[in-house]
Amino acid sequence: MYDMKALYEAYSVEEAVKLRLEHPEAQIIAGGTDVLIKLREFKGFSRLVDIHDLPELKPIVREADGTVRVGSGASFTDIEAVSYTHLRAHETTLHL
């Protein structure tokens, strides 16, 4: 079904960059749905660098001015957990 030759899992942003430099043909994935569909259709992705669990990409923080910054790696579950605790405590609305 998939013609995948390698899956590299990065545990930090630094490691993800290193893996990408070592394997320039690799596609970076975080969730992977679109890439896996293309793999199934044989669109040329045979090596992947997985960044889905990098802690540096997951933070959800409230800035001093009240702005909420959501990291690019935060899942909807992460956002939901924060919205029910931290955001509601400050009467903040999160618009997606």
Side-chain angles (χ1 to χ4, degrees):
M1 178 186 274
Y2 299 110
D3 185 27
M4 190 163 40
K5 294 182 174 72
L7 173 63
Y8 309 102
E9 189 168 0
Y11 296 98
S12 68
V13 171
E14 182 178 299
E15 185 178 12
V17 170
K18 179 181 175 213
L19 285 166
R20 185 64 169 83
L21 290 171
E22 290 173 359
H23 308 281
E25 72 285 358
Q27 184 72 26
I28 295 176
I29 63 167
T33 303
D34 294 344
V35 173
L36 292 176
I37 290 169
K38 289 179 181 179
L39 267 171
R40 190 178 320 157
E41 296 171 355
F42 303 105
K43 298 286 185 187
F45 301 131
S46 62
R47 298 179 189 279
L48 304 173
V49 174
D50 182 4
I51 63 167
H52 87 278
D53 208 20
L54 298 185
E56 299 98 323
L57 302 180
K58 292 185 170 267
I60 302 171
V61 296
R62 184 183 172 106
E63 303 292 345
D65 67 356
T67 301
V68 176
R69 185 169 41 89
V70 178
S72 61
S75 68
F76 284 118
T77 303
D78 297 333
I79 295 168
E80 182 180 43
V82 169
S83 69
Y84 284 116
T85 56
H86 186 72
L87 298 178
R88 289 193 190 271
H90 298 284
E91 298 181 18
T92 302
T93 303
L94 181 63
H95 299 279
L96 301 176

